[in-house]
Amino acid sequence: MKYNIALLPGDGIGPEIVDGAVRVLKKVGEKYGHEFDFKTYLIGGVAYDATGDPLPKETVDGALASDSVLLGAVGGPKWDSLPGDKRPEKALLGIRSALGLFTNLRPAKLYPALSDACPLKESTVKNGFDIMIVRELTGGIYFGDRGYREGKYGTEAYDTECYSPMEIERIARVAFECAKKRGKKLASIDKANVLETSRLWRKTVHEIAQEYPDVSVCDVLVDNAAMQLVRNPAQFDVIVTSNMFGDILSDEASQITGSIGMLPSASLNETTLGMYEPIHGSAPDIAGKNIANPIATILSAAMMLRYSFNLTEEADCIEKAVDAVLNDGLRTSDIAKPGENTLSTSEMTEAVIERL
Ligand code: NAD
């Protein structure tokens, strides 16, 4: 099969880590007889420098014309003082909305080989954990009506949370499908004791649950979910939640893995076109030094194979190669213990390729 992949390396360490993932994909292509065709487009600060726009039209058109998109990261101190609509981060919202990406998948997995990096007690995480957070990405309070108005105590600011049944149904279906392929356990997170949108969320999730009798579903209030994540993370398999709750809980979940350079993400729409990116930023402090950990981006490429191209065996192959690298004790500096030998970005990439 032939697949067209749009590459958006972006700023800081973006080009180095995307290069690593591309090399891994090329090797997977050779091994399994697929042709991956790559086209690179500008995004973020480098796009602003070249064109005056952090998200040039050519980039959006290229992404829309591709089968899938691999993004590095955007942003850096050089562009921090630009006005809001010219800032590199604005390009992220722009590309997500242009591609209609309403689902965000964020795995948070504790690798046994890296359990020392987990900030939780060993007794809490002795069995590891492997959670998939499914976050609604284009609705809720981040996109609702907002502004200032006269209130009880004078001028006040307000934001509004809105969800329609359709928006909840489609994200719930993604989450149930995901749970079906994993541990068949879904936790739906809301604040139904207070919020009307959460009551609609809960009712709608329960309706969709009828279509998935093989998946067990439970409701967890968001404040309890935040506690449970640090008390006993292994109880969770798949979590589904709204935009704002997902934003907060997915960052909490990533922190308890202890290794930001290891975590991939996927953003999906109704079609197979998705955008895949590491959860970390452009790490300007280490950019250009060939020391960034490429694994989050390599695992993002694995998610692309799994979710956009349905190449399960190929995705498994990459994930197993990463497991093998870690089990062999190989580390980049962000995941190494003091005094341990460390590999460069390109050496870590080669180590993964050797184990494919
Ligand atoms: P960051 O994730 O870039 O870096 C935080 C820390 O983690 C830094 O010390 C960095 O060196 C380290 N780190 C991150 N990724 C690493 C990797 N792969 N290997 C080794 N170490 C790694 O977050 P920040 O410093 O808050 O933000 C830097 C810039 O990135 C800002 O301009 C911010 O707006 C932007 N940002 C972009 C995205 C994105 O593109 N999706 C996400 C978050 C932040």
Side-chain angles (χ1 to χ4, degrees):
M1 288 288 287
K2 186 173 174 204
Y3 301 95
N4 294 312
I5 300 174
L7 301 176
L8 278 46
D11 306 317
I13 58 171
E16 302 162 56
I17 54 179
V18 167
D19 177 63
V22 165
R23 283 163 57 198
V24 168
L25 282 171
K26 283 184 177 159
K27 182 71 189 179
V28 169
E30 269 170 37
K31 183 171 166 170
Y32 289 92
H34 305 298
E35 197 183 323
F36 296 116
D37 191 23
F38 301 100
K39 281 211 179 81
T40 304
Y41 299 93
L42 293 171
I43 193 167
V46 287
Y48 173 79
D49 286 350
T51 69
D53 184 350
L55 182 62
K57 183 173 179 304
E58 199 196 346
T59 300
V60 174
D61 292 346
L64 282 168
S66 71
D67 295 317
S68 210
V69 181
L70 184 65
L71 174 80
V74 300
K78 182 178 176 196
W79 304 283
D80 276 350
S81 50
L82 287 173
D85 64 330
K86 298 288 182 204
R87 288 193 53 142
E89 294 80 2
K90 184 79 184 169
L92 286 181
L93 292 180
I95 188 98
R96 283 178 190 150
S97 116
L99 300 181
L101 305 170
F102 69 87
T103 298
N104 185 226
L105 298 182
R106 287 246 314 234
K109 178 171 165 180
L110 181 65
Y111 289 87
L114 298 182
S115 57
D116 282 352
C118 174
L120 303 180
K121 270 195 213 149
E122 204 188 325
S123 56
T124 308
V125 291
K126 58 180 183 301
N127 299 322
F129 57 84
D130 182 357
I131 307 169
M132 178 67 85
I133 298 190
V134 181
R135 167 186 168 197
E136 202 288 327
L137 204 57
T138 51
I141 197 163
Y142 293 175
F143 290 88
D145 188 29
R146 73 194 53 183
Y148 286 85
R149 64 187 171 199
E150 282 313 302
K152 199 168 157 193
Y153 303 106
T155 307
E156 63 185 17
Y158 70 95
D159 298 274
T160 325
E161 165 115 336
C162 291
Y163 269 114
S164 64
M166 181 281 284
E167 289 170 290
I168 305 170
E169 278 166 22
R170 66 181 181 181
I171 194 76
R173 279 207 177 83
V174 173
F176 277 105
E177 287 295 333
C178 191
K180 220 167 109 175
K181 292 186 195 137
R182 293 173 39 111
K184 300 190 170 43
K185 266 175 66 184
L186 179 64
S188 172
I189 313 290
D190 61 36
K191 187 72 183 166
N193 52 345
V194 178
L195 300 176
E196 203 54 49
T197 39
S198 279
R199 286 192 273 272
L200 178 66
W201 182 279
R202 194 175 278 209
K203 176 173 165 279
T204 311
V205 168
H206 284 229
E207 282 163 12
I208 301 300
Q210 306 299 317
E211 299 167 25
Y212 296 91
D214 49 340
V215 175
S216 76
V217 60
C218 67
D219 304 301
V220 188
L221 293 173
V222 63
D223 38 352
N224 186 22
M227 287 193 288
Q228 295 301 329
L229 268 175
V230 289
R231 202 184 67 83
N232 177 17
Q235 71 184 285
F236 293 111
D237 173 23
V238 178
I239 285 176
V240 63
T241 193
S242 62
N243 201 344
M244 183 167 66
F245 295 161
D247 188 7
I248 299 165
L249 292 177
S250 59
D251 266 11
E252 184 188 0
S254 67
Q255 281 307 306
I256 58 172
T257 69
S259 23
I260 193 175
M262 297 288 304
L263 297 174
S265 77
S267 301
L268 310 171
N269 60 21
E270 280 102 346
T271 73
T272 53
L273 172 61
M275 189 164 85
Y276 299 82
E277 57 183 305
I279 69 153
H280 58 71
S282 58
D285 51 335
I286 57 167
K289 296 183 177 163
N290 193 26
I291 56 169
N293 187 347
I295 292 181
T297 317
I298 291 171
L299 291 173
S300 300
M303 287 187 89
M304 174 187 288
L305 300 185
R306 188 180 302 285
Y307 292 102
S308 280
F309 304 156
N310 206 18
L311 299 175
T312 309
E313 197 183 327
E314 292 81 340
D316 287 346
C317 175
I318 295 179
E319 287 165 2
K320 282 187 191 138
V322 167
D323 283 345
V325 159
L326 297 176
N327 290 336
D328 289 346
L330 304 181
R331 304 283 184 267
T332 42
S333 56
D334 57 313
I335 51 173
K337 284 191 234 154
E340 260 181 347
N341 279 340
T342 58
L343 300 188
S344 66
T345 310
S346 40
E347 286 167 340
M348 180 54 100
T349 303
E350 273 316 309
V352 173
I353 290 172
E354 271 167 29
R355 287 161 182 79
L356 282 172

